[in-house]
């Protein structure tokens, strides 16, 4: 989606798939030829890849190195970024520094290769590219796969340069669900035993099982986390039955829940 730059009335940041260097691309707008440009081979300069859970890792980018997430410089988000928001001019400069811009990461992916093993495609976890004041987009292994403790992994990408691209995996304790409560017949709140400090709920689901064995599934509502609590919405038009007590269980190994229940009054 094109995003209007803060301080502009007509300049937009438009994410593209990876361009071929030297290739001429023609831009059309509402079916009319608008302009053309030459493709660039320039990659975003990221710094360090590091593990955050047993199936998820992140890639750090630093503003001090002249890399800024688009969330800080587009008008749609500027109000929520407070003093961290700023304006880039037409040369992508501010305060005498020229910036690279990380545009929307939707549909982005990277390749992570275990030492002596086969490459694995890891996909971007939505709404994790700039949270809690950090520029650290998260990437997750395919469902059912985990990072093996003691194995060294190297991350490569066709859109980014990584200064420190390798890390040695370790075992992470699963997040712990402390409680859950019904918000409505189609939504619940899940609270962990401690604030994960990031969007680690993103892309996760839980099941709700009734005493009769009926199972509902709820998925995390992106950007709904407040501290240790996140909102999960029921899928497939599911609804909670008033007066029924449901047992909560995370889907997969991202979290554990011991005898956590909820009832819609």
């Amino acid at each position: 989606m094109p995003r209007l730059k803060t301080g502009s009335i007509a300049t937009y940041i438009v994410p593209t798939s990876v361009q071929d260097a030297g290739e001429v691309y023609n831009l059309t707008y509402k079916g009319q030829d608008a302009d053309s440009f030459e493709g660039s081979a320039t990659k975003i300069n990221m710094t360090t890849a590091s593990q955050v859970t047993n199936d998820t890792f992140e890639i750090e980018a630093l503003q001090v190195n002249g890399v800024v997430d688009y969330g800080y410089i587009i008008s749609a988000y500027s109000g929520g970024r407070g003093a961290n928001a700023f304006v880039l001019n037409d040369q992508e400069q501010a305060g005498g520094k020229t910036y690279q811009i990380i545009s929307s990461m939707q549909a982005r992916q990277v390749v992570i290769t275990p030492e002596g093993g086969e490459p694995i495609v890891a996909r971007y976890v939505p709404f994790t590219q700039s949270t809690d004041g950090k520029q650290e987009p998260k990437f997750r292994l395919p469902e059912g796969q985990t990072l093996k403790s003691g194995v060294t992994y190297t991350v490569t990408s066709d859109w980014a340069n990584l200064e420190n691209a390798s890390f040695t995996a370790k075992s992470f304790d699963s997040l712990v669900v402390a409680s859950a409560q019904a918000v409505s017949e189609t939504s619940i709140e899940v609270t962990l035993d401690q604030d994960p400090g990031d969007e680690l709920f993103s892309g996760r689901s839980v099941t709700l099982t009734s005493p009769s064995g009926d199972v509902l599934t709820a998925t995390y509502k992106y950007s709904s986390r407040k501290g240790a609590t996140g909102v999960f919405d029921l899928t497939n038009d599911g609804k909670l039955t008033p007066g029924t007590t449901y047992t909560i269980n995370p889907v997969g190994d991202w979290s554990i829940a011991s005898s956590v229940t909820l009832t819609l009054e």
Side-chain angles (χ1 to χ4, degrees), residues 71-205:
Y72 294 100
I73 51 93
I74 62 173
S75 59
Y77 293 169
S78 59
R81 299 299 173 118
N84 292 323
F86 61 100
V87 176
L88 292 181
N89 64 19
D90 289 343
Q91 287 73 48
E92 318 305 352
Q93 297 173 337
K97 179 180 290 187
T98 301
Y99 287 86
Q100 290 185 318
I101 300 171
I102 303 173
S103 62
S104 173
M105 299 286 288
Q106 298 295 338
R108 297 288 185 199
Q109 60 188 36
V110 296
V111 173
I112 181 168
T113 305
E115 188 174 16
E118 294 298 316
I120 304 167
V121 174
R123 302 189 184 281
Y124 170 68
V125 181
F127 295 91
T128 64
Q129 66 186 75
S130 178
T131 62
D132 292 9
K134 298 173 290 185
Q135 301 178 154
E136 296 172 342
K138 310 291 187 290
F139 294 84
R140 187 162 291 152
L141 301 186
E143 187 172 357
Q145 296 191 35
T146 58
L147 298 164
K148 306 303 181 184
S149 181
V151 174
T152 297
Y153 292 83
T154 300
V155 180
T156 56
S157 167
D158 58 0
W159 57 268
N161 289 319
L162 279 78
E163 183 178 349
N164 303 300
S166 298
F167 63 87
T168 300
K170 58 184 180 180
S171 179
F172 278 68
D173 292 334
S174 298
L175 302 173
V176 177
V177 175
S179 64
Q181 65 177 13
V183 177
S184 69
E185 63 180 4
T186 60
S187 184
I188 68 172
E189 285 185 343
V190 175
T191 300
L192 303 176
D193 65 345
Q194 60 183 355
D195 185 352
D198 215 330
E199 280 290 273
L200 297 185
F201 280 126
S202 189
R204 304 302 194 183
S205 300

Side-chain angles (χ1 to χ4, degrees), residues 187 199 201 204 219-225 230-233:
S187 184
E199 280 290 273
F201 280 126
R204 304 302 194 183
T219 60
Y220 175 64
K221 181 179 180 180
Y222 292 122
S223 302
S224 69
R225 180 181 66 88
V231 175
F232 286 66
D233 291 331

